[in-house]
Amino acid sequence: MTVKELSSSPSLSSLYPKAVLGGLRKSGGDILPDTEFVRSGVTVDPAHLAAYNQVCEFRLADTLPATYPHILAFPLQMALMTEPDFPFPLLGMVHVANRITQRRPIRVTEKFTLRVRAQHLRPHEKGKQFDVVSELLSELDPAGEPVWTDVSTYLRRGGASGQKRERRTELAPPAPKADWRVPGDIGRRYAEVSGDRNPIHLNPLTARMFGFRSAIAHGMWTKARCLAAFEGRLPDAYTVDVAFKLPVLLPAKVAFTSWADDGGWAFELWNARKPKPHLRGSITPE
């Protein structure tokens, strides 16, 4: 594996033009690059963390929400997926699932090393999918084991594999534990704290260019918002796993529900006006 050591966080303002230009090329084959991006000396800006917590409705605390390190890893993920040898253009890829494992509470004052790589390219009924794996290692853990791991699964549509599609039976949505109003500007607000300025999230005009009738909420915002609903009940070590279903068209009213499941929880986010799920997930103690 080729390791690329970075001395600073990649500039997202320069990576987005690369992503746009990359969208003009065809998909480039079936081989993911054998490359890992590594950045040491990563620290958390408490003011940025506070802004993130406010947007996602986490409480202010001296530990990180499990979804926050995804924000630290995002520039490295972008750098990896805009490299010339990456087989798929970034524009048009769909974030279909995300699994985060936190092995202990992570304090704001820690210093970290980040590692990001792509792996497990495989067929999908609608094209091909692969995982981008991000790991956070703390200088407080001399053994060098990750304290946090994030696996984001992406779908590249086209060239369907011919796999037989599983029949899914959609049930009526369960009685919600809470109804949330999602404001029309949440895409722009989350973009400010996450750096993810994909035009589908920013305003209706740019979203329509990609086939959406309005801007849509970031999938990782919906995951973070759901996780915030469990604050005060989460164990020190756990995995939170979600599958992203239908996008949340902004503004929106959504229904959140959760239930105990095998020592942890299962949860769903639904369109409050129609029986259609936006997200399904689980929280499992480690």
Side-chain angles (χ1 to χ4, degrees), residues 160-183:
S161 66
Q163 286 186 322
K164 187 176 179 180
R165 184 172 183 175
E166 294 181 10
R167 297 188 64 182
R168 298 180 178 89
T169 302
E170 295 293 351
L171 304 177
K177 296 289 183 69
D179 288 331
W180 300 334
R181 293 192 178 277
V182 185

Side-chain angles (χ1 to χ4, degrees), residues 16-281:
Y16 273 105
K18 286 181 66 177
V20 172
L21 292 174
L24 302 177
R25 62 180 172 86
K26 295 181 180 179
S27 297
D30 296 328
I31 301 176
L32 294 171
D34 190 26
T35 305
E36 184 174 72
F37 279 68
V38 178
R39 183 184 166 217
S40 302
V42 177
T43 57
V44 173
D45 177 358
H48 181 265
L49 174 62
Y52 173 87
N53 286 349
Q54 183 177 30
V55 169
C56 299
E57 301 197 26
F58 288 108
R59 304 169 188 168
L60 294 177
D62 60 358
T63 56
L64 306 182
T67 49
Y68 181 78
H70 182 91
I71 305 301
L72 302 177
F74 181 69
L76 278 74
Q77 297 171 356
M78 282 280 292
L80 174 69
M81 291 189 285
T82 53
E83 284 286 280
D85 62 347
F86 204 81
F88 310 115
L90 184 59
L91 291 184
M93 283 198 292
V94 183
H95 194 185
V96 294
N98 176 268
R99 183 177 73 252
I100 290 173
T101 298
Q102 172 182 291
R103 293 173 178 85
R104 62 165 175 79
I106 304 170
R107 302 190 71 82
V108 178
T109 53
E110 295 183 48
K111 188 177 288 188
F112 309 102
T113 293
L114 272 170
R115 303 191 304 213
V116 173
R117 63 187 180 276
Q119 63 184 36
H120 197 197
L121 180 63
R122 57 202 185 272
H124 185 274
E125 62 195 24
K126 295 182 179 178
K128 297 175 182 176
Q129 64 182 352
F130 62 92
D131 299 328
V132 175
V133 179
S134 306
E135 295 176 325
L136 195 70
L137 293 82
S138 173
E139 293 188 356
L140 296 181
D141 295 314
E145 293 297 320
V147 296
W148 175 94
T149 301
D150 173 295
V151 180
S152 287
T153 301
Y154 290 93
L155 166 66
R156 179 62 186 177
R157 297 182 187 272
S161 66
Q163 286 186 322
K164 187 176 179 180
R165 184 172 183 175
E166 294 181 10
R167 297 188 64 182
R168 298 180 178 89
T169 302
E170 295 293 351
L171 304 177
K177 296 289 183 69
D179 288 331
W180 300 334
R181 293 192 178 277
V182 185
D185 66 347
I186 197 64
R188 294 188 293 276
R189 291 170 57 202
Y190 187 78
E192 283 298 312
V193 297
S194 69
D196 185 352
R197 291 181 171 83
N198 188 319
I200 62 176
H201 303 302
L202 301 182
N203 64 65
L205 292 177
T206 55
R208 286 181 193 132
M209 296 170 59
F210 295 88
F212 299 99
R213 69 172 184 266
S214 70
I216 66 174
H218 295 73
M220 289 303 295
W221 177 84
T222 62
K223 177 173 183 173
R225 180 65 186 88
C226 290
L227 187 64
F230 290 95
E231 280 196 308
R233 295 181 286 164
L234 295 169
D236 287 346
Y238 61 92
T239 292
V240 52
D241 195 1
V242 302
F244 301 115
K245 300 296 184 178
L246 296 175
V248 178
L249 299 171
L250 301 173
K253 183 179 180 182
V254 296
F256 172 79
T257 189
S258 64
W259 60 96
D261 183 50
D262 196 24
W265 293 274
F267 59 94
E268 295 177 339
L269 194 69
W270 291 77
N271 184 315
R273 297 180 177 88
K274 300 177 181 179
K276 294 183 177 181
H278 294 303
L279 175 152
R280 287 175 176 157

